[in-house]
Amino acid sequence: EALQGLTERERQILDLLVAGLPTAVIARRLQLTPKTVRNRLSEMFAKLGVRGRSEAVSLARGVRHDD
């Protein structure tokens, strides 16, 4: 499963994304800067093979996007 390749921090960020939180709130919750969160999101999207937040959330929820 693609999610198994994520670091613990990336999983924490993904959980907060699934909860619908914006980058600034995720940063505050995890005591990171918003830029760090954005960088982690980009790395995570590449690992998961998704194009953005909505696809990452769908993948985490077990929904597939077949274009």
Side-chain angles (χ1 to χ4, degrees):
E1 177 174 303
L3 300 179
Q4 291 177 344
L6 299 180
T7 66
E8 183 177 339
R9 181 60 93 187
E10 289 166 339
R11 288 175 188 260
Q12 291 171 337
I13 292 170
L14 184 58
D15 288 343
L16 295 173
L17 270 185
V18 170
L21 299 179
T23 300
V25 175
I26 293 171
R28 280 196 302 274
R29 291 255 180 111
L30 298 178
Q31 299 181 337
L32 300 170
T33 67
K35 179 159 178 50
T36 298
V37 172
R38 286 191 299 273
N39 289 342
R40 293 287 186 123
L41 287 171
S42 293
E43 293 165 5
M44 182 174 52
F45 296 161
K47 284 183 182 181
L48 296 175
V50 299
R51 290 174 289 198
R53 295 170 86 94
S54 63
E55 285 186 17
V57 169
S58 293
L59 182 66
R61 290 180 175 160
V63 176
R64 287 192 41 91
H65 281 279
D66 292 322
D67 294 336

